[in-house]
Amino acid sequence: MEFAGVIVDVKAPAVDRLFHYRVPPPLRPTLEIGHRVLVPFGRRRVEGYVIEFTDSAAVSEDKIRDIDRVLDPQPVLDQSSLATAHWMACYYQGFLAQALQHFLPPGTRYGRERAKAKTQLTVEICPGLDAEQMLCQLSPQAHRQRELLSCLMKHGNPMPVQKLLAETGAGHSSLSTLEKKGFVRKRAVPIERKLQWAADEVKTVQLTDEQQSVIQRAWCEWEQGKNRPVLLHGVTGSGKTEVYLRLLERILRQDRQAIVLIPEIALTPQTVGRFRGRFGDSIAVLHSGLSWGERYDQWHKIRAGQVSVAIGARSAIFAPFQRLGLIIIDEEHETTYKQEEGSLKYHARDTAIVRAQQTGAHVVLGSATPSLESYQKAVRGEYLLSELSHRVEHRAMPRLITVDMREEFMRGNRHMFSRLLKQRLQANLDAGHQSIVFLNRRGFASFMLCRQCGHVLECPNCKVSLTQHRTGQINRLSCHYCGLSEQVPQHCPQCQSTYLRAFGSGTQQAEAALRELFPSARLVRMDADTTRRKGSHQKLLDTFRCGDADILIGTQMIAKGLDFPMVTLVGVLSADLSLNFPDFRAGERTFQLLTQVSGRSGRGAHPGDVVVQCYEPNHHVIEAVKRGNFRSFFRREIRFRREAGYPPEQRLSRVLCSGPEEGVIDHCRTLQQWFQTHCPSIEVVGPSAAPLERIKGRYRWHLLLRYGSQERLPARISQYWPVPPPQVSVSVDVEPLLLL
Ligand code: ADP
Ligand code: ZN
Ligand code: ZN
């Protein structure tokens, strides 16, 4: 192993390959594959990852350079993470260095370190010394020193310096004296940044027959050595989490480890609470809501094998377990599992399946509303389909009642709440039950329009309408894409009239309306605006959970996962919002959203209702939600996808160019021609302006690539296709879930 093949942490097409370095003899005994090293690269020093060893290098003797040093005591990557990263880079059109980033300890990138081990200064009695004897040696007047010693003897040895001084009231000088006498010594010891999580009390439940059989079938399949992912399709409240917990217990008994992915960090406290109740401290948590230091500590605990279960959002799929046995993906249909930003837009579910293949782990995908992609695979037998079709304890599914808002309007009710929903909310307040009001739009009003000339106030940078937000009596307009915030103008910028009016209600307005309707009701609003601060999610949810609020108002943030037994009414203010969204998945999204939000109702002893306000109450999606019939929805939707050539029947990816208008359109055309010549089996749609045509002043045009479900984009396209002009940037999103 004279030479090492290294991937360097430089992201450019030409550098996306192995570079050979000489391993200096002193490093040879300890250097392993997966080690992070520092290497010279051009005139810089960069971080690199050892991928292989060879006896001959592809570089001449005089040109080859030495590895500088090793960055961590142990390798940070293993064979399975290398293989998974390799797959990610190929499949999602990224560089291997980008894919590898995800597997590294958080916040430790060379030159950009953001985290390191936290240490605490402690003091202890020097080993081998007899404390009693030392006390005798001290003069009787040395009160402080005596107290310090006694405190160490009584309350713990070693002890943090700060704590010792606080408990004894002694000063640093007394401690130094003891140190100089050789009685005690100070040491910095690593400490963990503890996360504060509640542990729920353990509810021991008797599994239902359905739960039992789901577990049996999965386990049988696994024991027979078949390892298809299991798709657990269980209606809301059917006890999917209990199934996860039991499977986890079995895996842990085999001394293997597990990852649990949840779609949203807002749900972590609740999920962690349930898992901690069962598995105690054997749990790590990984998500972007933690500080770099906290993530660093959690990563190392996992790596060191001190915990057996990692729970988290998307990124937890990279938890560095060495004996991974099970990956659970709750709410597998959620779009948050797809990384939409950054340069490697991976899907955590698909990545999980690959990682599981690499490690021999099993995969369980759970949902009340599986994605069409997964359900189709299950129907075809690629996944094992398991179903929970009843709620636990024979609880009824919520009853869904639609309100035709056209009729409301004709009867003279122009309020955002229908008469029925008002009545139901009142009745629920009277009964002392809780309610949830759902509206998938934050802010006060979604756009402002001039009633004289029809001008809509838009963000000058992003070409989307500005949303009105109200703080106390102050109205501001803000852009949800770039964050611009400005005062509401007095006059229309186009015709100078004073008839600017707000249209389209958001959660803020819903809250104001509820306050007016039910002055004594206690309200909690949960959306991106009220949950900016760390911990605010949990605070709001806790308020509602403990019964200190009657009505919870919120965006899709409250649609899923929450388990509040006292909620017996869910009101959906405008189902049309998502039904009419310009996206081929609008029907699927609406089905998911309505089913999920309905599922928050009637989870306890009392049955629940759902009131859905809508302009198209007979829409087939709403009908399917009402009947709770996923299969009929699936059949109809898959037919539409087949006829229209959309996923999962065909694959759809997009190439997005952004920059100055002309350059962007020209480059899109160039790429289109390139595809036609070089990839004749890919159908290119466009170029066209992306739905968000301009963000932060940059124009956005895209090409959609459509190809067969068995086909793939050629790996590393960007190494072959025409290089964009300097101001234009190009990104590829393989199988995007949102096309904005
Ligand atoms: P889902 O995730 O399918 O919506 P949960 O796993 O949240 O459902 O379960 C709903 C509630 O039912 C939870 O409070 C859970 O503790 C409880 N539960 C789960 N399984 C059983 C069971 N077999 N018997 C009684 N209660 C159960
Ligand atoms: Zn005007
Ligand atoms: Zn903007």
Side-chain angles (χ1 to χ4, degrees), residues 537-557:
H537 273 126
Q538 189 167 9
K539 241 204 226 130
L540 293 174
L541 290 178
D542 285 347
T543 307
F544 193 61
R545 180 188 306 278
C546 72
D548 282 348
D550 305 303
I551 304 176
L552 173 66
I553 310 142
T555 54
Q556 95 293 350
M557 206 177 266

Side-chain angles (χ1 to χ4, degrees), residues 365-429:
L365 311 173
S367 177
T369 52
S371 62
L372 258 66
E373 280 78 2
S374 297
Y375 201 78
Q376 195 187 42
K377 290 205 170 98
V379 169
R380 290 183 175 162
E382 288 171 52
Y383 295 172
L384 172 69
L385 182 61
S386 268
E387 284 173 330
L388 295 173
S389 44
H390 302 283
R391 284 190 158 180
V392 297
E393 302 194 310
H394 310 289
R395 281 173 204 149
M397 292 302 291
R399 189 165 55 124
L400 193 140
I401 309 154
T402 48
V403 177
D404 189 335
M405 290 307 276
R406 292 167 301 190
E407 219 167 277
E408 282 295 300
F409 189 78
M410 276 184 322
R411 292 181 182 224
N413 178 16
R414 303 195 174 183
H415 199 268
M416 65 191 297
F417 286 83
S418 61
R419 289 158 306 157
L420 179 72
L421 185 50
K422 281 189 247 179
Q423 277 167 19
R424 289 311 195 77
L425 284 166
Q426 185 63 57
N428 236 26
L429 286 169

Side-chain angles (χ1 to χ4, degrees), residues 193-266:
R193 280 155 278 221
K194 287 258 191 245
L195 303 179
Q196 297 299 323
W197 301 112
D200 290 2
E201 55 188 290
V202 186
K203 265 197 286 183
T204 32
V205 297
Q206 187 78 28
L207 289 179
T208 63
D209 290 346
E210 274 191 330
Q211 286 171 322
Q212 194 90 46
S213 91
V214 161
I215 293 169
Q216 283 308 336
R217 277 186 69 207
W219 205 260
C220 269
E221 164 119 352
W222 297 340
E223 291 208 312
Q224 287 166 12
K226 273 190 278 181
N227 197 8
R228 287 182 292 171
V230 174
L231 178 62
L232 176 55
H233 175 210
V235 299
T236 56
S238 59
K240 292 185 286 294
T241 311
E242 191 61 37
V243 171
Y244 305 152
L245 289 166
R246 299 293 172 110
L247 289 172
L248 278 169
E249 278 170 1
R250 291 194 181 195
I251 290 291
L252 299 199
R253 256 183 265 136
Q254 296 183 333
D255 197 27
R256 292 199 287 168
Q257 302 151 327
I259 295 172
V260 180
L261 291 193
I262 51 177
E264 182 125 16
I265 56 176

Side-chain angles (χ1 to χ4, degrees), residues 1-4 23 27-32 53-55:
M1 49 173 275
E2 198 181 342
F3 305 102
V23 185
L27 290 184
R28 285 183 199 171
T30 48
L31 193 66
E32 288 178 56
F53 291 115
T54 58
D55 290 327

